[in-house]
Amino acid sequence: MMQIFLGDSHAYPGCRATLPGDLPAAGTDVVICLADGIEVPGRLSPCPEGFRLEIASHRTAAGTSIARKSWLLGRDDAGWKIKARLADPA
């Protein structure tokens, strides 16, 4: 299964991400590996601005509860990062 690595214990605009070289042409299930060692199921789907990353609800290693959220992933000169929070699909 494809793994996506985030540079922090939670996602937020500006958080850096490491994605594999072969990105999906359609939606695919992924494992999001957070910097605190927690792994969370998610889904990565292409969209016009980059990729939509859906992250399931989970708890951080410190015990903070994080609700299910969707994020826009995009590239800049330094690589991949979360650009914005997206509305959850209906």
Side-chain angles (χ1 to χ4, degrees):
M1 181 168 292
M2 180 183 293
Q3 291 182 311
I4 295 173
F5 295 88
L6 294 186
D8 209 330
S9 62
H10 61 285
Y12 56 88
C15 181
R16 289 285 164 192
T18 303
L19 281 71
D22 294 329
L23 296 172
T28 188
D29 292 333
V30 296
V31 174
I32 296 104
C33 302
L34 303 169
D36 62 0
I38 300 297
E39 293 184 352
V40 182
R43 186 155 183 86
L44 184 67
S45 304
C47 66
E49 302 86 9
F51 282 88
R52 177 186 195 95
L53 178 63
E54 297 173 37
I55 304 176
S57 61
H58 62 281
R59 287 196 181 279
T60 66
T64 304
S65 180
I66 306 289
R68 178 182 177 270
K69 295 179 184 163
S70 296
W71 302 94
L72 173 63
L73 283 174
R75 287 188 63 85
D76 64 14
D77 292 340
W80 289 97
K81 75 175 184 178
I82 294 177
K83 298 254 182 177
R85 183 166 174 201
L86 299 172
D88 288 326

